[in-house]
Amino acid sequence: MKPGIKVAFASGTDELNVKLVDEMLRILPELPLYLVSEFPSADLNGIRWLPYHPGHSFWENWKRCRAAFRGSAVRLAAVMLVPGVPHRRMRLIAFLLSPARFLAFNENLNHFMLRPRSVPSILRHGVWRLKNYLRWQAGPSGTWHKLWYRVSHPTQWRIPYLHATARAAAALRPTRILHHALAPVPSSSGISVVIPSRDGRDLLEAQLPGIIAELASLVGEVIVVDNGSSDGTAQWLAERYPGIRCEVSAQPLSFARAVNRGIAQARYSHVCLLNNDMLLRGGFFGALSQAFVKVPDLFCATAEIQFPEGVRREETGKTVMRQPQPDDFPVRCEEPIAGEDLSYVLYGSGGCSLYDAAKLRELGGVDEAFEPAYVEDLDLGYRAWQRGWPSVYVAGAVVEHRHRATTSRYFSSEQIEAIVETNYLRFLARAVSDPKQFRRLWDQAIDRLRLLAERAAAQEQTQSVPLEALRRAARVAWTGGPSAVPAGTEDHFLALTSGAVAVFPEKPPTGKPRILIASPYLPFPLSHGGAVRMYNLMSRAAEEFDQILVVFADRLEKPPSQLTEIFAEIVLVQRIGSHLLPATGRPEVVEEFASAPFRAALRQTVQKWRPGVIQLEYTQMAQYAEDCRPSRVVLVEHDITFDLFEQLTKVCPDWETERQLARWRSFETSAWRRVDSVITMSEKDRHMISGAPAVALPNGVDLDRFQPSGTKPEPRILFVGSFAHLPNLLALDFFLRKAWPLLSGVNLHIIAGAKPEFYMRRYQSKISINLEQPGIEMDGFVEDVRPAYARAAVVIAPLVISAGTNIKILEAMAMGKAVVTTPAGINGLELSPGVDVLLAESPREMAIAIERMINHPDERRHIELAARRTVEERFGWNKIASRQAELYWNIAKEFGAASP
């Protein structure tokens, strides 16, 4: 007879799910309880958790549950029937698993089962639910209330009508040729500064001395477009600055028309568009000019914008397209990060940016459709990106902005807001070429305007800027968009300029061969074995190569000095973790690191640096192999992942593990065929590679950092292993359940890496470890583990499964420590049991070996000396780094390159 279980499906709100679990614990208390939910609870009290993935298909989740409960009889399958909570599929799974035992709760914890005698309860529930529905519909947020409000306020029908019309107009947007290139002007190297000014003599008086001083050591000119001024600007300039060229317009022109007149007069290779309310700080033109040396095909270098003290900062110069909330304007300025420079931006501010004059003329100058001002610089930068010409933010060029010192004289804040809203729609209609991107951005903009218009209407505002912009939207869309197909995909540069990418130029390049490393994790701090390997090899490779790092980071911040000292450039890409992964047929870890901003950053960095070799760290990064071309691509297999999952299916078999195994085997073997070479950690792993040349470069140890301390150890055992890696949890569980009870008089010190509690909850569906035992102490991430090694008499590595090789074993050996391990613990290291380490095949053998090492110091000393001698001979990072450099050169020779 199958053992009975009960299952609670967390298909309500968080608060109600807790009540559901409490209620299920009281019903049939003798039965074990399973919880099916998106997230593990902080305290399950012995309840077994089964993950539910909203991003996966219904059948995948159903199969996961069915497999987990196979061999058991589901006596109760309970759900919460709560309106507005998107878990209908979860409730259907509960019903299909046990239709006769299906138990439904409402918000008051009243419940019923699908049985004839429950018909009165079901009817009462239906009547109660209907009453709640009618009450809600008649309430302030209900549909009936909104309908009645529109009936009693007929003008409110305008908003949905205008919204629908604007969306329909986007589908009918015609295409046409919108821009013609300006005639090229022969230009010598130098800077033409173009300043539009309307009645801005007082602003020019403050601004021009700084410009003249900055240009004194450069080749350049200043062109002031006197834009319908009545304050005698032209005469004053002729008297005070006779060397400045003044282009006079009797009537005020739009910003675009004014600067285009200046651009037409420019004689030099670069044009700086400068508002008259911008005050320059020292080194402005020099910093902007250097960006054109460092970034290939650069279109625009834009300055950092500061504001006077006490004035709210409305611009920064770091422009991105990102909309955190539905009512936020889609284009925003991010706060620059300390040390950030030459990060890619969507566009350069038209008031303080330096442009490539030839490219500017090829684009036809600034689009004069943008009246009277605003958004034309966004349009210009976007059109340049479509040609593959980037814009970058330059930290060394700084201006102080006297914000809207000119426009505020002639337009109210409401008028300026209306201009910006309408011109943004005009930009979308005229500039965005890709139909998919246009519909996405247009619908996003129209939905935002509707939201803001409805909010204004609720406040009894009969007229509002969003409503006026909605009224104009259809006409703007019908004016047409670009007919030309852009050279660069808009997906690429919109991802690159989404605010998720930050560039940090660091160690000046030396002209040595270039190696680019793409990694899912920062190589520093040394919080896990992969980081230890990467940092030690990269720090040594810096002596022979110029290295560039493109890497995921949890947050964008200045990289640690340990990395800035060894890389010519570090590109950080913010990784937004989510459990809502798409169902693509690839392993989940691969999807966790699938990122459009990372792909765009990698492609742009390859184009900028032209590295000879690109090294992809970890299997999941193989998804970016094609983005590395034409460089030669090396994949570093820190472990053979499907090998690890094959072992997992034997130790803790379940449906999910077997599913991931199949996906890893398919992805990983295909990945080998997409790269030029594979690096493994051991000869054992190398023999598993097919489809690409492979070489074994073993893990190593820093022999200078890790040395015997000479400190007398305590009767203490040390276990080092990040809980983020499931095999470490399985190892600790094996030791605590089977070997630890056989020991007495010793302490166990566990170093579990960052966020150990989080990972214990994450893996609790597979394993549960009791650390609340006498003699056990646990630390999370420890920056320097050497004192912990020094205090320990024995280091243990009781792994039951393993792939790759264990760096912690080598560190312990370098510290002159006796290591007691299972065969899996020294997988691929080719050590001598009984000489370098003590090998234990069973828990009892492990306990005996630990006691022997603690109680017999002379024997322990013999093992410690042999361990240190072995790592000195075979595992020093210097030797391994030398072999890695040789590999780089061999790859270059094999493919006919002069250098990496």
Side-chain angles (χ1 to χ4, degrees), residues 159-160 162-168 170 323 325-330 421 424-425 428 438-456 466-467 469-470 473:
I159 297 175
L162 292 172
H163 178 264
T165 302
R167 289 177 69 102
Q323 189 180 28
Q325 299 298 329
D327 58 350
D328 289 335
F329 194 73
E421 294 289 358
Y424 179 71
L425 296 178
L428 294 178
F438 172 67
R439 285 309 302 259
R440 181 183 71 84
L441 295 173
W442 182 266
D443 290 349
Q444 181 189 67
I446 296 302
D447 292 347
R448 171 180 169 272
L449 290 174
R450 175 175 180 168
L451 175 64
L452 295 176
E454 289 177 341
R455 188 177 297 170
L467 181 62
L470 266 181

Side-chain angles (χ1 to χ4, degrees), residues 462-708:
T462 57
Q463 294 293 328
S464 66
V465 168
L467 181 62
E468 186 61 28
L470 266 181
R471 184 180 291 112
R472 298 175 181 171
R475 188 166 59 253
V476 168
W478 285 329
T479 60
S483 60
V485 177
T489 64
E490 290 166 87
D491 289 345
H492 166 78
F493 66 79
L494 286 174
L496 188 65
T497 60
S498 64
V501 180
V503 178
F504 298 85
E506 301 300 347
K507 180 182 177 184
T510 62
K512 296 175 181 177
R514 296 169 180 174
I515 307 295
L516 188 150
I517 296 103
S519 171
Y521 315 109
L522 278 166
F524 199 91
L526 307 181
S527 55
H528 54 89
V532 171
R533 176 187 176 89
M534 288 189 289
Y535 175 72
N536 277 281
L537 289 179
M538 292 170 187
S539 60
R540 287 161 174 81
E543 299 175 5
E544 196 168 349
F545 304 98
D546 282 339
Q547 298 179 107
I548 305 98
L549 176 66
V550 183
V551 61
F552 281 104
D554 292 335
R555 56 185 178 273
L556 300 182
E557 59 185 6
K558 184 174 176 58
S561 60
Q562 290 84 353
L563 297 182
T564 61
E565 293 170 354
I566 62 176
F567 288 103
E569 182 173 275
I570 299 174
V571 181
L572 297 186
V573 181
Q574 187 170 22
R575 176 170 169 257
I576 308 299
S578 173
H579 70 295
L580 297 174
L581 299 174
T584 63
R586 300 192 302 185
E588 285 191 359
V589 173
V590 175
E591 292 305 328
E592 287 178 8
F593 289 93
S595 163
F598 192 94
R599 190 177 303 280
L602 181 58
R603 287 181 179 178
Q604 198 69 29
T605 308
V606 171
Q607 181 179 340
K608 176 180 179 179
W609 287 94
R610 308 285 185 184
V613 175
I614 297 179
Q615 186 160 297
L616 302 175
E617 299 280 351
Y618 290 91
T619 314
Q620 60 265 35
M621 301 303 285
Q623 63 185 297
Y624 298 108
E626 295 307 315
D627 303 294
C628 299
R629 300 304 181 184
S631 302
R632 303 306 174 189
V633 184
V634 176
L635 175 64
V636 180
E637 286 274 40
H638 289 253
D639 53 45
I640 306 298
T641 315
F642 73 75
D643 177 33
L644 185 65
F645 273 86
E646 281 182 341
Q647 297 175 56
L648 274 172
T649 58
K650 298 174 183 177
V651 174
C652 47
D654 58 33
W655 179 85
E656 182 64 32
T657 303
E658 292 173 358
R659 174 171 165 268
Q660 291 299 317
L661 167 60
R663 292 184 172 188
W664 272 116
R665 182 180 283 113
S666 173
F667 176 83
E668 197 161 18
T669 53
S670 173
W672 298 337
R673 296 191 294 271
R674 296 198 301 270
V675 300
D676 299 308
S677 184
V678 179
I679 294 175
T680 65
M681 304 299 102
S682 68
E683 288 294 331
K684 168 182 169 291
D685 287 354
R686 185 180 70 83
H687 290 302
M688 298 180 69
I689 304 297
S690 60
V695 61
L697 289 181
N699 277 319
V701 63
D702 187 336
L703 297 173
D704 295 326
R705 175 176 171 79
F706 291 93
Q707 296 190 28

Side-chain angles (χ1 to χ4, degrees), residues 809-827:
I809 292 274
L810 301 178
E811 290 180 350
M813 292 170 64
M815 290 288 295
K817 290 295 163 180
V819 178
V820 177
T821 180
T822 57
I826 56 171
N827 173 66

